[in-house]
Amino acid sequence: MPAVRRRPAAVGATSLSIALAALALAGCADKAEDDAKGAVEVTATDSKCEVSKKEFAAGHVSFAVHNKGSKVTEVYVYGAGDRIVTERENIGPGTRATINAEVKAGDYEIACKPGMKGDGIRQKVSVTGKGAPKKTDPRLNKAVADYRTYTQSQADETIPVTQRFADAVKAGDVNKARSLYALSRIGWERTEPVAESFGDIDPKVDVREDGLEKGQDWTGWHRLEKSLWQAKKISADDKKLADTLMTDLKDWQKRVGKAEITPTSMANGAKELLDEVATGKVTGEEERYSHTDLVDFNANVEGAKKAYELLEPVASENNKALTATLDREFADIEKELAKYRKGDAYVSYDTVGKDKRKELSDAVNALAEPLSKLAAAVVVK
């Protein structure tokens, strides 16, 4: 199964994109705790990825990352078939990040990606046994179960509206397809905090043209978006792609209930999604033809908030100050997004100026920074 990777920023990004990315790096860089006892230390440079332990016990694992290189980097932990176990992007030069994850016994690879490109510099590691006896908290078990129910409901609700979108494409009705495009994506965008758990679906349905791997066919929503808004017509190939989109989404619908989800993957995924919003989506690169970006943003925030709300009872007990901050920052970003509502919809993103986009980016970054600490706050001591 091919790797499931986040979509990169567009080649030749504007100066605004670069500026916002720099702001995100400054605002979201994690400060690893100096006393991260027992952590697997990952030292990243522009040419190396050094790991302090090549073998460690299964269970809850902390990866203490230090980027000593001159480039922004990201760190991935891959299982068999390049299945993403956990990741952290946008680790700035000279900064540290702590990644918490639940890791089962098996063979893995830790990859550092200087410049956030390519397959990365990889180190093989082995995770042995069951680790220390694992404490469980019934509230976290319920949080995972409830979140799985939530993601399943989002998938179930996505299928009929996307079928209407696909039917409009197949009928050659550009205006109707345009009216249904953003609505068809809401359920998917709400579940993006755990998109990697769904296998190789993400690159099939949600990849942008500049995010294609070598030899990969371009399928999914954004391929059809380009036809609807740039070409302003629907080709015979587009009609076939509408059927392909439905096939892939129905596959996703079946996988959601079986996806591997943990409290830490919920927390890490929510944080990573907001990083992606701040450094890529807020620039307008995601919905570059339709300019329906604000619908995506809102759905992303809703999905991240759902994950947080389910984990909040345990997180509040372990770090009340953190949850108070998160409550405030979620409210602030919701207030910021509300400025752009127009009835039941959002304004076209191409009408939002640079200064206003920066305000959105700042609000996302203000939420992403404390959200990076949520995974540690739901670890059962």
Side-chain angles (χ1 to χ4, degrees):
M1 180 174 67
V4 181
R5 297 182 177 88
R6 296 279 186 196
R7 295 167 298 286
V11 176
T14 63
S15 59
L16 170 66
S17 174
I18 296 169
L20 291 178
L23 283 168
L25 296 176
C28 294
D30 294 311
K31 294 180 180 179
E33 295 182 10
D34 294 332
D35 60 346
K37 186 177 180 181
V40 178
E41 296 178 8
V42 181
T43 303
T45 70
D46 295 344
S47 59
K48 294 181 180 179
C49 186
E50 299 175 344
V51 181
S52 64
K53 301 176 184 178
K54 296 296 180 68
E55 184 176 296
F56 46 89
H60 180 81
V61 181
S62 289
F63 298 91
V65 182
H66 187 187
N67 182 8
K68 292 186 176 181
S70 63
K71 301 176 182 178
V72 177
T73 196
E74 56 190 10
V75 172
Y76 283 68
V77 178
Y78 288 116
D82 271 6
R83 175 180 62 85
I84 297 174
V85 177
T86 191
E87 63 175 301
R88 179 60 54 84
E89 300 179 355
N90 294 311
I91 305 171
T95 65
R96 299 174 183 266
T98 298
I99 312 170
N100 294 282
E102 300 297 329
V103 186
K104 296 180 179 179
D107 294 324
Y108 297 85
E109 287 187 327
I110 297 176
C112 304
K113 299 185 180 183
M116 302 201 297
K117 297 178 180 178
D119 292 330
I121 305 162
R122 300 195 178 200
Q123 293 285 354
K124 293 182 178 181
V125 296
S126 178
V127 179
T128 59
K130 296 182 179 179
K134 186 177 179 181
K135 297 179 181 178
T136 59
D137 187 319
R139 294 173 297 176
L140 292 179
N141 294 338
K142 185 176 186 302
V144 170
D146 287 350
Y147 192 71
R148 193 184 303 279
T149 299
Y150 171 75
T151 55
Q152 185 67 64
S153 71
Q154 293 304 310
D156 293 344
E157 292 170 14
T158 294
I159 297 303
V161 67
T162 309
Q163 186 64 67
R164 294 198 298 275
F165 167 70
D167 289 344
V169 171
K170 291 165 66 177
D173 192 335
V174 172
N175 289 334
K176 186 173 182 180
R178 282 182 172 185
S179 71
L180 291 165
Y181 171 77
L183 293 174
S184 74
R185 291 175 48 74
I186 290 174
W188 171 264
E189 294 291 332
R190 284 174 177 161
T191 64
E192 275 206 303
V194 287
E196 279 81 10
S197 302
F198 307 138
D200 59 350
I201 299 297
D202 183 87
K204 290 181 179 179
V205 303
D206 201 27
V207 70
R208 300 195 311 257
E209 189 172 14
D210 51 283
L212 293 170
E213 298 288 338
K214 186 176 181 180
Q216 179 185 349
D217 291 332
W218 189 18
T219 59
W221 273 297
H222 295 302
R223 175 66 183 85
L224 294 170
E225 178 204 5
K226 184 176 182 180
S227 293
L228 291 170
W229 273 274
Q230 187 177 77
K232 299 180 182 179
K233 61 183 179 179
I234 295 169
S235 69
D237 284 343
D238 292 332
K239 294 177 181 181
K240 293 177 183 177
L241 285 170
D243 282 333
T244 300
L245 175 63
M246 289 309 306
T247 298
D248 290 335
L249 287 175
K250 287 176 181 178
D251 185 13
W252 164 58
Q253 182 187 28
K254 292 176 182 177
R255 294 191 198 187
V256 168
K258 303 173 184 176
E260 184 175 335
I261 299 174
T262 66
T264 53
S265 72
M266 289 166 60
N268 288 334
K271 188 262 191 261
E272 285 299 316
L273 178 58
L274 290 181
D275 279 353
E276 184 184 342
V277 171
T279 60
K281 292 186 175 186
V282 81
T283 63
E285 294 166 2
E286 177 82 356
E287 305 289 358
R288 61 188 67 174
Y289 308 110
S290 65
H291 305 300
T292 55
D293 306 80
L294 289 166
V295 178
D296 288 2
F297 297 172
N298 186 64
N300 290 158
V301 171
E302 288 176 338
K305 186 178 181 181
K306 183 66 175 181
Y308 163 63
E309 287 176 338
L310 292 172
L311 297 171
E312 191 273 340
V314 173
S316 180
E317 189 173 284
N318 291 334
N319 192 337
K320 195 170 185 63
L322 174 64
T323 55
T325 299
L326 286 170
D327 288 340
R328 183 178 66 252
E329 297 300 342
F330 268 113
D332 285 349
I333 197 169
E334 288 171 338
K335 187 183 299 182
E336 190 66 29
L337 283 166
K339 295 177 182 178
Y340 304 100
R341 286 197 71 90
K342 189 175 182 180
D344 294 332
Y346 283 91
V347 301
S348 180
Y349 199 54
D350 59 345
T351 66
V352 179
K354 291 182 179 180
D355 290 345
K356 295 299 181 182
R357 292 187 184 195
K358 182 182 180 301
E359 289 176 5
L360 281 167
S361 179
D362 289 345
V364 173
N365 289 333
L367 173 58
E369 194 280 326
L371 198 58
S372 69
K373 301 176 175 65
L374 181 60
V378 296
V379 175
V380 180
K381 305 301 182 181

